[in-house]
Amino acid sequence: MTKTGHQLTGLGAALAAVGLIGGLYPGQNLIMIALLAFFGSSAPDWLEIPQGWQGRKRLSVIPHRTWTHWWPVWLGSTLFGLGVLTATPHPFVLAFTLGAWLHLLMDIPNPMGLPLWHPERRVSLYLWKSSEHVVPLALGSWGLGFLVLILPGALQMAGLSL
Ligand SMILES: [Zn+2]
């Protein structure tokens, strides 16, 4: 997905993070949760430390769509955020990581794909090109993020709970 696409879908990640992480860990700074989820949604690209372009090849300190796009890295971050590794949850890490997971989800349909079993060997779903379907994906992420944001309150109003 393009940088703009990741930023637009990152708004959906921010909404979802506020609903989900704010619900799991009450008393958090929800502005920080939203901002971290938003910046996490583009993190796999900027963590590569981009250095420009050489023709059509993207130059970066970490090769594009390798280590920063490898799911075990973000699984480790998720486990750390949940407190599985440290016995103390880290909601801000979770928010950032939630955004990063959305980034991976948005990248895997593209022909370039993502690393699966090895950080430098990618697989792709070959569903659409990086610049395609940005608007419906953004709208979908906003809708899903909004549902996650309001779901706990809606259930509570209906006399139900998660
Ligand atoms: Zn990416």
Short mmCIF file of all heavy atoms in Angstrom, two decimals, residues 6 45 64-65 69 103 107, ligand 1:
data_model
loop_
_atom_site.label_atom_id
_atom_site.label_comp_id
_atom_site.label_asym_id
_atom_site.label_seq_id
_atom_site.Cartn_x
_atom_site.Cartn_y
_atom_site.Cartn_z
N HIS A 6 -1.52 3.97 3.91
CA HIS A 6 -1.22 3.54 5.28
C HIS A 6 -1.64 4.62 6.29
O HIS A 6 -2.12 4.29 7.38
CB HIS A 6 0.26 3.23 5.43
CG HIS A 6 0.67 1.93 4.82
ND1 HIS A 6 0.09 0.73 5.18
CD2 HIS A 6 1.57 1.63 3.86
CE1 HIS A 6 0.65 -0.25 4.48
NE2 HIS A 6 1.54 0.27 3.67
N ASP A 45 7.36 0.69 7.37
CA ASP A 45 8.08 1.39 6.29
C ASP A 45 9.11 2.37 6.84
O ASP A 45 10.25 2.36 6.40
CB ASP A 45 7.09 2.13 5.38
CG ASP A 45 6.34 1.19 4.45
OD1 ASP A 45 6.77 0.02 4.28
OD2 ASP A 45 5.32 1.62 3.90
N HIS A 64 13.75 -2.96 1.95
CA HIS A 64 12.30 -2.79 1.97
C HIS A 64 11.58 -4.15 2.08
O HIS A 64 11.92 -5.10 1.40
CB HIS A 64 11.85 -2.06 0.71
CG HIS A 64 10.40 -1.70 0.70
ND1 HIS A 64 9.75 -1.19 1.81
CD2 HIS A 64 9.47 -1.74 -0.27
CE1 HIS A 64 8.49 -0.96 1.51
NE2 HIS A 64 8.28 -1.29 0.26
N ARG A 65 10.58 -4.14 2.93
CA ARG A 65 9.71 -5.30 3.17
C ARG A 65 10.50 -6.56 3.54
O ARG A 65 10.27 -7.64 2.99
CB ARG A 65 8.81 -5.57 1.97
CG ARG A 65 7.76 -4.49 1.80
CD ARG A 65 6.59 -5.00 1.03
NE ARG A 65 5.67 -3.92 0.68
CZ ARG A 65 4.50 -4.10 0.10
NH1 ARG A 65 4.09 -5.31 -0.17
NH2 ARG A 65 3.74 -3.10 -0.18
N HIS A 69 8.88 -5.91 8.21
CA HIS A 69 7.59 -6.40 7.73
C HIS A 69 7.41 -7.88 8.07
O HIS A 69 6.51 -8.53 7.54
CB HIS A 69 7.45 -6.22 6.22
CG HIS A 69 7.23 -4.80 5.80
ND1 HIS A 69 8.18 -3.83 5.92
CD2 HIS A 69 6.14 -4.19 5.26
CE1 HIS A 69 7.70 -2.68 5.46
NE2 HIS A 69 6.46 -2.87 5.06
N HIS A 103 -0.72 -2.44 9.08
CA HIS A 103 0.19 -2.18 7.96
C HIS A 103 0.50 -3.48 7.21
O HIS A 103 0.40 -3.53 5.98
CB HIS A 103 1.49 -1.56 8.49
CG HIS A 103 2.45 -1.19 7.41
ND1 HIS A 103 2.69 0.12 7.05
CD2 HIS A 103 3.24 -1.94 6.60
CE1 HIS A 103 3.58 0.14 6.07
NE2 HIS A 103 3.94 -1.11 5.78
N ASP A 107 -0.35 -4.58 3.28
CA ASP A 107 0.74 -4.83 2.32
C ASP A 107 0.65 -6.21 1.67
O ASP A 107 1.09 -6.38 0.54
CB ASP A 107 2.10 -4.71 3.01
CG ASP A 107 2.63 -3.27 3.01
OD1 ASP A 107 1.98 -2.39 2.42
OD2 ASP A 107 3.70 -3.05 3.61
ZN ZN B 1 5.09 -1.63 4.08
#
